[in-house]
Amino acid sequence: MENRQVNIGIIGLGTVGTGVARILLEQKDLLETRSGLNFNLKTIAELDWSKERDLDLSCVNCTTNAHELLDDPEINIVVETIGGYEPAFSFISKALKNRKHVVTANKALIATKGMELYKIAQENDVDLLFEASVGGGIPIIKGLREGLVANRFESIYGILNGTTNYILTKMHQEDLDFDDALKMAQEKGFAEADPTLDISGGDAAHKLAILSTIASNSFIPFDKIYVEGITGITKMDMNFAQSFGMTIKLLAIYKRYNDGVDLRVHPTLIDNSHLLAAVGNELNAVFVKGDFVGNTMFYGPGAGERPTASAIVSDIVDLSRDLLLKEGEKYCNRAISLTQDVRLIPVEDIENRFYLRFTTKDEPGVLSMISGVLAEHNISIASMVQLESHGKDNFVPIVLLTHKALEKSMNEALEKIVRYDFVKKDYLRLRIFE
Ligand code: HSE
């Protein structure tokens, strides 16, 4: 590598791309001091140059044509920050085939097409890194792959979506219903105009697929993860949770058992004394248990220009060190190392404690019918709360917390319970974190 200069091309100058350019220009000396390398932002490809970005790009080749940098033999590292599936997939594949290292924050693409891309990277002796795809600025992928490399991962519990964490926090702190908290998140810029992927749990599932693939050394297909979003949660549930000394968080869960791994994304009641319960607003956190290290927690901003760019630049610096190797010297491809074929345990076979909220008629025998069905399915009640009836229809909310029970048994019991005409169909079932 001549003059220890690393030539970088960025595709996409949106929020994240702008942050990466800003670091490469403003922190150039710091990066050089720390790595001994000269990072040269050579080319940026962006379709819309009309936007004001507060960046001095006078020394950068600015183009609307991504192929200009993909075909440039001097570019060593390509940063993809356009997001989505296409043309991101085609641009990344072309960069890898042209033997350029690639850095991306594109979680949806890595979680679904990651295998294809790792294969292309390996065939071309280059690497594909994606630290920013999970947890924004939190170095969780390096944390798992490097800092905790000596450990088997027993469990990973992540608050991996800032939008839903913000909504749930506001529902709790300001006693808001879901729709009002979502509106507030949109007004403050923490939720997209179309928040579907976030509130449905899909975004957290993309991130869980990536973390679990690394943790298990086995490709975890994103569409095999059991996912529930947060749209069914009301402020009444938040208040009930608080009355039990708990709060509700959207948790992404990886748990290793002898016969496979349990992977789920769903709203979960967490005891207020747990560190994860204190992770508020748009922040993210990942609670990791390794067999040697024990419990660890990674915490920080999961999105935004500066945190996401910080993670991307850490990958750029990492890859640049490989560029110092001489032709023919083999570096260790670290995109992913898949050595196992792990079994995914069906969600029906998992045991949880449950939170059940029904709306039932306030009349004799209702509770004993419900508890009777639960008992038939070997489900034991741990606590119960009923609010007093105020409405004319004599229906009241009842909340039950159960001891551990099989998901399958709970599904069967719920099916029977909601068939009673004294129970409204709009029940809610949540799991309790243990
Ligand atoms: N939509 C994501 C979130 C952004 O709310 O966390 C970062 O991936």
Side-chain angles (χ1 to χ4, degrees), residues 12 35 72 81 121 148 152 170 262 274 300 345 353 405-406 414:
S35 66
D72 178 350
T81 56
L148 299 179
R152 280 187 200 287
K170 291 300 163 200
D262 165 24
H274 195 281
I345 302 174
R353 290 191 63 210
L406 260 186
L414 286 172

Side-chain angles (χ1 to χ4, degrees), residues 105 107 132-136 159-165 190-192 197-198 203-204 207 282-284 302-304 308:
K107 62 229 158 177
S133 64
V134 182
I159 294 176
L160 298 177
N161 183 268
T163 304
T164 46
N165 203 40
F190 293 124
E192 305 277 348
L197 191 63
D198 296 302
D203 175 77
K207 294 166 179 168
E282 74 285 8
L283 290 163
N284 282 197
T308 311

Side-chain angles (χ1 to χ4, degrees), residues 128-350:
L128 166 66
L129 294 189
F130 41 86
E131 179 62 65
S133 64
V134 182
I138 307 171
I140 182 61
I141 292 179
K142 284 190 175 62
L144 296 182
R145 262 201 311 220
E146 297 174 22
L148 299 179
V149 67
N151 292 266
R152 280 187 200 287
F153 297 103
E154 296 182 359
S155 55
I156 300 177
Y157 299 101
I159 294 176
L160 298 177
N161 183 268
T163 304
T164 46
N165 203 40
Y166 185 86
I167 292 171
L168 293 171
T169 304
K170 291 300 163 200
M171 286 175 73
H172 163 44
Q173 287 176 345
E174 306 200 10
D175 199 26
L176 295 179
D177 242 324
F178 174 81
D179 290 337
D180 295 327
L182 169 60
K183 217 166 133 225
M184 184 186 240
Q186 285 170 320
E187 280 162 9
K188 301 255 171 174
F190 293 124
E192 305 277 348
D194 177 2
T196 314
L197 191 63
D198 296 302
I199 61 179
S200 66
D203 175 77
H206 282 142
K207 294 166 179 168
L208 179 63
I210 296 171
L211 291 188
S212 328
T213 295
I214 293 166
S216 65
N217 295 104
S218 171
F219 180 65
I220 303 293
F222 148 76
D223 56 2
K224 294 281 186 296
I225 295 177
Y226 177 82
V227 187
E228 272 178 31
I230 63 163
T231 50
I233 295 171
T234 63
K235 67 178 173 190
M236 178 167 59
D237 297 306
M238 242 342 145
N239 291 334
F240 273 125
Q242 289 302 324
S243 72
F244 292 114
M246 293 189 265
T247 193
I248 303 174
K249 296 285 181 192
L250 182 70
L251 267 203
I253 298 171
Y254 166 94
K255 244 172 145 175
R256 190 168 63 91
Y257 292 89
N258 287 338
D259 59 345
V261 294
D262 165 24
L263 295 172
R264 291 173 276 142
V265 172
H266 54 60
T268 311
L269 276 85
I270 303 180
D271 196 277
N272 285 334
S273 64
H274 195 281
L275 281 176
L276 285 169
V279 178
N281 296 315
E282 74 285 8
L283 290 163
N284 282 197
V286 193
F287 193 85
V288 181
K289 183 170 188 189
D291 57 354
F292 275 75
V293 70
N295 288 328
T296 61
M297 187 158 112
F298 299 75
Y299 170 84
E305 175 189 317
R306 295 169 77 94
T308 311
S310 159
I312 288 184
V313 173
S314 79
D315 279 344
I316 294 176
V317 173
D318 216 355
L319 289 171
S320 298
R321 296 200 170 107
D322 292 339
L323 295 169
L324 292 170
L325 295 174
K326 294 193 185 67
E327 191 65 34
E329 276 181 350
K330 185 89 177 94
Y331 68 91
C332 172
N333 184 301
R334 48 171 118 53
I336 205 94
S337 171
L338 300 176
T339 54
Q340 302 187 42
D341 196 8
V342 105
R343 172 176 174 263
L344 302 191
I345 302 174
V347 71
E348 295 75 27
D349 297 344
I350 301 293

